[in-house]
Amino acid sequence: MIIAPTRATALYEANRLDARFHASPAVRLRPVLSRAKKVSLRRIGEYGDVRAPNRFKRTYAAPGEEYIPYLRPYDVFEYLPPEADRLSVTRTENLDTYRINSGDLLQTCSGRNLGPLTIADNYLARFVLSHDMVRITIADESERYYTLAFLQSAVGQQLLRGDLNGSVIDHITVDQVAAIQVPFVASIISKVAALMRDATATREQSRITLHKSVEALNKAFDTSHDKPLREGWAVKGRDAGHQTRRRVSLDSRPNDQGEGSRRRRCRTRRGCDDHKAGRSIQDVLCRPWARDTTRVRYTASPGRCHWGKKHFV
């Protein structure tokens, strides 16, 4: 149990009575930041445009139709996020609203992923993004990268998660993100912004180069005639027989004679190729088609032995 004191003024200003809100670290951080010297507190909504698009119906592209790749919110944190789906360019309503704009801050706003954020670069600008992510557009470059650095810090994450809604799934709104106060320290703004800008540019160039290398490698293999896996596939029996051998313990096979798991050999009168080669049942069981769930059974082509209870002791 977490117990934390609060003031009547805090209850009035927050207009909330839930204990989780008043026991969060953000409640104690806000007064500390407000009393800090040589610090200018500015709400994100004062110098940036904070927005989130409405829910939309995803219209998937048909084969051969012009499309744009689609990302889910948590995909943007991968280094080379693959497309989750392909949306129709002509049939998706208000498509431009969901496009990723290079330079925007992308803030998660619900669920277990709430808190982390990233900045969109030219690689992410190829995609459209789900509505379940807040976009922050900041015109001034120094303020943009400084805000990104602060929100990614421990204090910034506590402030982001300090005003949550939802009884089952945590959620923050556009207004709550816009109301977050960022402490601007004049003496370090330029340095912090420059470091974050360099890090972002390096990541952007690296994954664009890596993406081009992956695409070049994929083009080196001719897959134009491959049948899509969703349409099913077939394997010939003779191909299945050339699979890599796998050892199977006889301990897992039912033993009708109760003699443990000793190695057994074929007792057929003529003898099969495996018997002549000195292979044991344990070797024969390696073959993929020689097993089922109740009794391991070897059924080869005519002229070879059939492995079952009557043929082996």
Side-chain angles (χ1 to χ4, degrees):
M1 178 181 294
I2 301 176
I3 300 176
T6 187
R7 297 178 180 273
T9 54
L11 292 173
Y12 177 77
E13 292 174 357
N15 195 27
R16 297 181 63 164
L17 296 177
D18 52 310
R20 184 177 67 164
F21 171 81
H22 293 282
S24 66
V27 173
R28 298 185 293 275
L29 284 171
R30 294 187 187 101
V32 173
L33 292 176
S34 63
R35 294 193 298 266
K37 297 180 179 180
K38 299 182 180 180
V39 172
S40 174
L41 289 178
R42 298 174 62 188
R43 299 179 185 272
I44 296 178
E46 295 176 357
Y47 61 92
D49 176 29
V50 185
R51 68 195 185 281
N54 297 325
R55 292 180 178 270
F56 77 111
K57 181 179 180 181
R58 293 189 288 273
T59 305
Y60 300 107
E65 183 181 7
E66 185 182 4
Y67 70 89
I68 185 169
Y70 165 79
L71 290 182
R72 295 158 296 193
Y74 48 85
D75 291 334
V76 301
F77 299 106
E78 296 187 20
Y79 198 77
L80 284 181
E83 59 187 26
D85 284 304
R86 294 178 174 181
L87 303 185
S88 171
V89 173
T90 58
R91 295 184 291 116
T92 302
E93 298 180 0
N94 301 320
L95 183 62
D96 291 339
T97 307
Y98 306 97
R99 291 181 183 271
I100 299 178
N101 299 320
S102 181
D104 282 358
L105 305 186
L106 306 177
Q107 173 63 59
T108 51
C109 59
S110 67
R112 62 181 181 178
N113 298 311
L114 195 155
L117 77 156
T118 187
I119 187 170
D121 53 19
N122 289 327
Y123 179 79
L124 289 181
R126 304 165 46 245
F127 301 91
V128 293
L129 184 62
S130 165
H131 62 274
D132 199 19
M133 209 162 195
V134 175
R135 281 81 160 168
I136 306 173
T137 302
I138 302 176
D140 186 84
E141 189 178 73
S142 296
E143 293 178 348
R144 180 194 315 156
Y145 288 105
Y146 183 88
T147 302
L148 174 64
F150 173 74
L151 292 180
Q152 288 185 336
S153 67
V155 175
Q157 288 293 297
Q158 292 290 357
L159 293 177
L160 279 168
R161 299 184 60 86
D163 191 9
L164 303 179
N165 297 322
S167 58
V168 178
I169 299 177
D170 293 334
H171 186 81
I172 54 176
T173 65
V174 170
D175 293 337
Q176 289 168 329
V177 175
I180 294 176
Q181 293 183 320
V182 177
F184 281 85
V185 183
S187 60
I188 63 172
I189 291 177
S190 299
K191 181 178 180 181
V192 171
L195 291 173
M196 184 59 72
R197 184 190 307 109
D198 292 344
T200 302
T202 301
R203 183 192 63 178
E204 176 185 19
Q205 185 61 37
S206 298
R207 60 182 181 180
I208 289 177
T209 303
L210 182 58
H211 175 71
K212 291 180 180 179
S213 300
V214 172
E215 289 295 313
L217 182 62
N218 291 336
K219 290 180 180 178
F221 299 95
D222 184 15
T223 59
S224 57
H225 302 291
D226 288 356
K227 185 179 180 181
L229 294 179
R230 64 176 178 271
E231 299 179 7
W233 63 92
V235 179
K236 296 181 178 179
R238 64 172 181 269
D239 296 333
H242 292 83
Q243 300 295 327
T244 304
R245 288 179 142 199
R246 292 177 290 179
R247 286 289 178 179
V248 180
S249 173
L250 293 181
D251 293 337
S252 60
R253 180 170 59 86
N255 185 4
D256 297 333
Q257 290 76 25
E259 297 177 357
S261 59
R262 62 190 180 90
R263 296 163 69 89
R264 305 176 179 190
R265 299 189 182 278
C266 175
R267 263 187 20 165
T268 53
R269 180 177 301 177
R270 186 173 57 180
C272 65
D273 295 339
D274 290 313
H275 180 229
K276 294 177 182 178
R279 299 190 183 96
S280 67
I281 299 297
Q282 192 170 359
D283 296 323
V284 176
L285 292 183
C286 300
R287 300 175 182 177
W289 65 83
R291 286 183 240 113
D292 63 26
T293 56
T294 57
R295 178 188 298 173
V296 182
R297 185 179 181 90
Y298 174 64
T299 55
S301 58
R304 302 189 66 182
C305 76
H306 296 270
W307 186 77
K309 183 170 65 175
K310 296 182 180 180
H311 295 277
F312 291 87
V313 298

